Amino acid sequence: MDVLVILIPASLGLGAIGLLAFYWTMRSRQYEDPDGDAARILRTDYDDAPPNG
Amino acid sequence: MSVTEHPGAAACPGCVASPASLPRQNGGLYDGAIQISLPTIHCAGCISTIERGLSVQSDIEDVRINLTRKRASVWAKEGVSADDVAARISALGYEAQPLDTATLTAQDSDRAARDLAMRLGVAGFAMMNVMLLSVAVWSGASDATRDLFHWLSAAIALPTVTFSAQPFFKSAWRAVSAARLNMDVPISLAILLAAGMSLYETINHGEHAYFDAALSLTFFLLGGRYLDQRMRSNARSAAAELAALEAPTALKVMADGTTKTIETKTVEIGDVLLVQPGGKVPVDGVITEGSTELNRAFLTGETDPILAGPGDMVRAGEINLTGAVRLRADAVGHDTLLHGLSDLIAVAETAKSKYNSLADQAARIYAPAVHLLAFIAFALWLYLTAGDVRIALNVAVAVLIITCPCALGLAVPAVSTVASGRLYKKGLLLKHGTALERMAEIEEVFFDKTGTLTAGAPRLMNAGLYSENALGVASALAAASGHPRSQAIVAAAAEQGTVPVRIEDIHEVPGYGVEGRWQGKLVRLGRGSWAGAGDIADGSWLAVEGEPVVRFEFEDVLRPGAEALVKELQGAGVPVTILSGDSQEAVKRIADALGVDDWIGSMLPDEKVAVLEERKHAGRKVLMVGDGLNDTAALATAHVSIAPASALEATRVAADAVLVSRELDRVWDMFVTARSARRRILENFSVAAIYNAIAIPLAFSGIATPLMAAIAMSTSSIIVSVNALRTR
């Protein structure tokens, strides 16, 4: 059972990374314009001015 | 997707020349930005064309397009107005309308939705981790290992519950302190008891801990709450956008004779205002100078314009057709006729909020039943075990958790979200939460005529029967006027391929018509009495000096989809009636064209309300579709009501749904979707009921385990969500 010492923090850590990533996407307003973002990624011009939270 | 060239950064100086210090990065996203509505954009090409096209202009600082909202935020140097920006976007080939930023207040509900999403995200993370830890316990971990996993779960679950379940706690507290019970009371109780009980069991090395149940309960129910919130905030922001499209302004005549654009709400009694042809009368008043024709259709339903000159009363909302007039404001803001209706609307609103939705009905049975069951279980087990509080409480908690309305909490929001999303794509905006449910119940439909069944624009009748000369002269004269009938003549002439003749000295006589000289002869197009046809008010007349007068007759054009809608409704056995303020003759013509047998013409607004009241007392559930101010009270009286987006704001406020699309048959789509949604909601309730019928006896007899609770809860929630997607 010694392996739990590594596995449990590892699994919680991975989950926490996901949670932080979600927090970041919320803070930087990445859900403001889902349709627009889907379209923008297909353009060839570089989006030099992404929205900022 | 349209094919647009995408040059690189070098060909797009504006893209490169707008580095870090963008205005939007200094404050909030919308601070100080001009908002433009772009109803036709749909692809990456549109975004590129507009953003690039605007940002190369020197007085535009930054542009950002939101494709989801179909809106552009433009940051411009001082002196650039929203109208300027809209004109420039139109020049790029896209329809653009400025929005009144003061009216757009979607930010608050945005924040509420973000807040809920955050709580949902945290609950989701915690639920998954605790589930993983629980798997170990379910598969047989014991002693110290089980305790370790329980403690870890507690460390994750307790802070999460404190944070994520707050909306339920707050709502439950509000209900309890007002001595009421709502759905959130059993939810909060279950979450709190589950967490508290599990903590106690963990401390005492117990076997069962319900941390995962407390969390999945929070997660699923927050999901339902989030869907609900997003749906309502979408509807609100779309309604706000409709209102923002027509920022009310007035042209005030200053003391020195110049005019200044001011907001309508700042107009004071006694102010002299200028109303241009094509403009809306901003406030009630009396004409002091000039004469014109007014379109009063919104007030009375009449399609024929009304002649008005000095001394005549005009009402806010009337449309000035031909001549510029000055008027003295004598009732402003809330004293106008338009606002007089708002009290009436408020009364109807409270009546509608009393409507007993399916969710309310379910909650009313559900909340007391759950508490009672849990309490009985507790008392029973206390008696059976001769006073073992721990076992009794364990069973009671299991009952509370297992009966807790995951499926119930998701059943309605999931279906409503799917249905309103479908309808929004079809051009129907649901404004009221229970509109869909009420729509599913309707038994009769009443239509207004002008502006609802008809497009509100006249069409020349029998265009082919006029002589080449008559139509040529008429269309040349008509081209000089903005009057709807003139435009109808021009359109008909173009359709016939008639070339307008050359007319000199052409000018409009406001309120009467247009006159000019054709081959030296005086020609006039307009009112019968003025053109020399005698005192016949109906139709328009063309007079050419020395020749007999020619009469032009007009008919209303049906709104696209009107015929199809009436046919569908009649096919479904729903009686259709037309209520109109227009003349009997005009109403009969439209009724015949649509195949409607029941119609009433020349109605006053009160009479419309009376008809609807009478149907209401007869126990019939009625849908009213109307756009005029004369329909507003009727819309508020009906069981459910729809107004087209072309209606006045007061009318749209009174309606439960707004038809954004021009096609009237979308109303039928709403009817179909509403019935389908209602069926799905009821199915979802039965799923929840069946699930409870199986789970409650298990929980009651004390053999329910946390594993069973987890499986049952997830399965029923998933079944309900998937079933919601079947809504047509």
Side-chain angles (χ1 to χ4, degrees):
Chain A
M1 285 293 158
D2 292 344
V3 74
L4 284 182
V5 180
I6 302 165
L7 281 185
I8 290 175
S11 86
L12 289 185
L14 286 172
I17 290 172
L19 185 64
L20 282 178
F22 175 69
Y23 180 68
W24 172 70
T25 59
M26 290 289 296
R27 276 299 301 271
S28 56
R29 297 169 183 267
Q30 295 190 27
Y31 304 97
E32 291 265 311
D33 182 15
D35 293 352
D37 294 336
R40 275 171 205 275
I41 200 165
L42 296 173
R43 302 188 306 175
T44 50
D45 40 343
Y46 181 67
D47 193 356
D48 203 35
N52 189 297
Chain B
M1 193 188 292
S2 73
V3 184
T4 318
E5 272 187 53
H6 295 288
C12 173
C15 308
V16 183
S18 48
S21 70
L22 293 168
R24 65 163 171 258
Q25 286 168 345
N26 299 332
L29 197 65
Y30 296 113
D31 286 355
I34 294 168
Q35 299 288 322
I36 309 283
S37 167
L38 304 165
T40 55
I41 59 166
H42 61 279
C43 67
C46 313
I47 299 181
S48 298
T49 316
I50 297 175
E51 286 192 348
R52 204 178 302 139
L54 278 187
S55 53
V56 291
Q57 297 177 12
S58 59
D59 49 1
I60 303 284
E61 290 176 345
D62 193 14
V63 200
R64 183 80 192 180
I65 285 176
N66 188 321
L67 188 65
T68 316
R69 288 176 193 270
K70 297 202 186 296
R71 196 186 288 175
S73 304
V74 180
W75 288 264
K77 294 226 167 74
E78 216 145 296
V80 181
S81 75
D83 290 319
D84 297 340
V85 178
R88 291 184 207 177
I89 296 177
S90 300
L92 292 170
Y94 294 94
E95 190 183 335
Q97 280 153 327
L99 293 166
D100 179 34
T101 36
T103 322
L104 292 174
T105 48
Q107 277 93 326
D108 271 354
S109 55
D110 273 3
R111 195 174 309 132
R114 286 228 305 271
D115 180 65
L116 268 180
M118 196 62 225
R119 292 182 203 276
L120 186 65
V122 171
F125 153 81
M127 180 185 76
M128 285 187 280
N129 281 288
V130 172
M131 279 285 182
L132 277 179
L133 295 171
S134 304
V135 170
V137 180
W138 297 335
S139 44
S142 59
D143 306 328
T145 322
R146 187 174 64 202
D147 281 353
L148 169 69
F149 280 107
H150 278 171
W151 275 114
L152 279 173
S153 305
I156 298 170
L158 296 178
T160 307
V161 164
T162 324
F163 171 67
S164 291
Q166 266 175 35
F168 303 116
F169 298 158
K170 281 183 188 150
S171 154
W173 178 249
R174 268 198 302 273
V176 169
S177 46
R180 285 183 298 111
L181 275 185
N182 63 7
M183 203 80 134
D184 288 335
V185 177
I187 291 171
S188 303
L189 209 60
I191 294 174
L192 282 177
L193 272 178
M197 189 69 211
S198 307
L199 186 63
Y200 177 81
E201 287 290 311
T202 305
I203 294 171
N204 290 298
H205 312 290
E207 196 185 335
H208 293 326
Y210 284 102
F211 290 117
D212 63 302
L215 287 173
S216 44
L217 213 60
T218 315
F219 177 73
F220 286 126
L221 291 168
L222 269 178
R225 196 67 45 106
Y226 176 69
L227 288 179
D228 202 46
Q229 156 75 29
R230 223 187 45 175
M231 186 176 63
R232 264 183 295 167
S233 91
N234 281 350
R236 211 174 306 133
S237 81
E241 183 160 325
L242 277 180
L245 272 174
E246 40 188 66
T249 57
L251 276 175
K252 182 177 173 183
V253 182
M254 311 301 278
D256 56 1
T258 56
T259 57
K260 189 180 160 199
T261 306
I262 57 170
E263 281 178 64
T264 301
K265 58 174 178 264
T266 63
V267 173
E268 284 167 26
I269 291 176
D271 278 356
V272 177
L273 306 171
L274 180 70
V275 184
Q276 298 281 15
K280 249 182 207 167
V281 177
V283 294
D284 292 2
V286 175
I287 296 184
T288 54
E289 243 183 277
S291 60
T292 183
E293 280 171 299
L294 294 168
N295 180 343
R296 204 166 267 182
F298 83 98
L299 201 61
T300 58
E302 291 168 79
T303 32
D304 281 341
I306 283 146
L307 186 65
D312 286 336
M313 283 283 299
V314 288
R315 298 290 200 181
E318 291 175 348
I319 298 165
N320 183 8
L321 295 175
T322 45
V325 290
R326 288 182 178 199
L327 59 93
R328 196 184 59 240
D330 63 3
V332 296
H334 291 281
D335 296 328
T336 57
L337 179 71
L338 235 163
H339 281 94
L341 285 157
S342 59
D343 295 344
L344 226 158
I345 295 167
V347 171
E349 289 280 278
T350 51
K352 273 177 187 164
S353 64
K354 278 193 199 131
Y355 175 79
N356 216 342
S357 73
L358 288 170
D360 294 342
Q361 290 172 18
R364 198 155 306 156
I365 306 168
Y366 185 84
V370 166
H371 290 130
L372 204 65
L373 269 178
F375 185 74
I376 293 172
F378 180 72
L380 192 71
W381 278 87
L382 207 58
Y383 172 75
L384 285 179
T385 55
D388 191 336
V389 180
R390 190 171 158 190
I391 293 179
L393 208 56
N394 247 320
V395 174
V397 168
V399 168
L400 261 183
I401 291 173
I402 275 201
T403 52
C404 215
C406 277
L408 231 50
L410 273 171
V412 177
V415 173
S416 308
T417 304
V418 172
S420 67
R422 298 257 151 102
L423 288 176
Y424 188 73
K425 278 203 186 109
K426 286 179 178 167
L428 260 162
L429 176 64
L430 293 180
K431 279 177 49 215
H432 206 281
T434 59
L436 212 55
E437 277 181 44
R438 282 182 275 133
M439 183 77 184
E441 299 171 346
I442 59 153
E443 298 158 308
E444 266 181 68
V445 183
F446 286 82
F447 286 105
D448 167 50
K449 182 183 77 74
T450 319
T452 307
L453 284 174
T454 65
R459 184 173 61 192
L460 186 61
M461 280 163 78
N462 310 323
L465 299 182
Y466 298 99
S467 70
E468 184 82 20
N469 255 348
L471 202 57
V473 174
S475 69
L477 283 170
S481 163
H483 196 290
R485 284 185 177 172
S486 303
Q487 287 165 356
I489 292 179
V490 173
E495 217 170 273
Q496 296 289 320
T498 308
V499 186
V501 298
R502 222 185 111 74
I503 290 182
E504 273 131 37
D505 198 17
I506 198 163
H507 63 275
E508 185 160 20
V509 184
Y512 294 95
V514 191
E515 68 177 9
R517 291 205 168 269
W518 173 53
Q519 297 171 352
K521 287 182 282 191
L522 179 70
V523 285
R524 279 179 166 178
L525 175 71
R527 290 183 169 268
S529 52
W530 179 68
D535 207 17
I536 306 166
D538 203 26
S540 288
W541 298 78
L542 173 71
V544 179
E545 215 176 344
E547 282 176 40
V549 288
V550 181
R551 182 179 183 184
F552 288 91
E553 279 182 279
F554 300 89
E555 60 181 358
D556 258 357
V557 189
L558 284 178
R559 197 182 263 268
E563 264 172 283
L565 172 63
V566 169
K567 213 160 274 156
E568 295 275 23
L569 286 171
Q570 286 171 339
V574 180
V576 176
T577 312
I578 299 176
L579 304 179
S580 177
D582 207 352
S583 68
Q584 302 281 358
E585 199 188 322
V587 182
K588 186 174 185 330
R589 200 156 49 216
I590 293 294
D592 288 347
L594 287 170
V596 176
D597 299 326
D598 298 322
W599 54 268
I600 314 175
S602 312
M603 290 189 95
L604 295 173
D606 300 349
E607 293 172 339
K608 287 195 181 190
V609 177
V611 169
L612 290 177
E613 289 277 0
E614 184 258 311
R615 302 311 296 153
K616 196 175 180 178
H617 287 304
R620 302 283 279 176
K621 301 209 159 79
V622 165
L623 163 69
M624 171 84 199
V625 188
D627 80 314
L629 207 54
N630 57 337
D631 301 315
T632 305
L635 287 172
T637 313
H639 190 57
V640 57
S641 51
I642 303 177
S646 55
L648 288 177
E649 205 199 335
T651 313
R652 287 200 309 258
V653 168
D656 295 309
V658 175
L659 179 67
V660 184
S661 160
R662 276 187 59 78
E663 333 261 298
L664 201 61
D665 52 357
R666 299 298 158 90
V667 172
W668 175 252
D669 291 332
M670 178 170 170
F671 188 63
V672 171
T673 306
R675 290 209 164 169
S676 156
R678 187 186 161 82
R679 204 156 45 235
R680 293 289 104 80
I681 291 176
L682 290 176
E683 279 170 12
N684 280 352
F685 281 164
S686 0
V687 169
I690 294 170
Y691 150 77
N692 273 325
I694 300 169
I696 291 174
L698 288 178
F700 222 86
S701 50
I703 51 172
T705 61
L707 176 60
M708 282 160 67
I711 292 173
M713 212 182 307
S714 317
T715 331
S716 67
S717 298
I718 290 167
I719 291 177
V720 163
S721 315
V722 172
N723 190 38
L725 291 175
R726 290 173 57 228
T727 309
R728 272 191 295 159

